Amino acid sequence: FGVPMPAVGFAINVDALTELMLSNGNVQPRKPADVLVYGLDGYEIKALKHAAFLMKSGLRCENSSLSTKEEAVRYAQIHNINRVDLVADRVETINL
């Protein structure tokens, strides 16, 4: 910035801190979402509105930003999410 002055740096390994807190029982592991919501191309806003509706109903939702519905389904399987809602003209529910 054109002014000579000393600098101070600071860093935290958030992953290591999280692992330590989980292993010590200080934090409970995050529960998986009840529903993964995936909006097909052009339906992203509708998908966000659908997720908001589901959350108001008391469900834990995660919105997918993955490229394909196959990737979204695979993500749900890996993260123990038992339901995927595919949003387009209508909502298609896939129970895993």
Side-chain angles (χ1 to χ4, degrees), residues 10-37:
F10 180 79
I12 295 176
N13 184 334
V14 177
D15 291 334
L17 182 60
T18 301
E19 289 295 326
L20 180 64
M21 291 176 74
L22 284 168
S23 67
N24 288 338
N26 295 336
V27 176
Q28 296 298 318
R30 190 182 93 166
K31 294 180 182 177
D34 298 311
V35 183
L36 178 67
V37 178

Side-chain angles (χ1 to χ4, degrees), residues 40-93:
L40 278 72
D41 286 342
Y43 293 93
E44 294 84 0
I45 300 299
K46 187 175 178 181
L48 290 171
K49 290 178 181 178
H50 179 67
F53 171 78
L54 294 175
M55 288 185 283
K56 285 182 183 176
S57 303
L59 294 172
R60 286 185 313 276
C61 295
E62 188 172 327
N63 193 53
S64 173
S65 60
L66 296 165
S67 299
T68 67
K69 64 182 179 181
E70 292 80 15
E71 288 176 357
V73 169
R74 183 70 185 129
Y75 175 90
Q77 291 170 329
I78 291 169
H79 292 90
N80 298 315
I81 303 172
N82 296 321
R83 174 178 154 187
V84 178
D85 282 4
L86 302 173
V87 179
D89 287 328
R90 62 182 185 83
V91 177
E92 176 187 349
T93 296

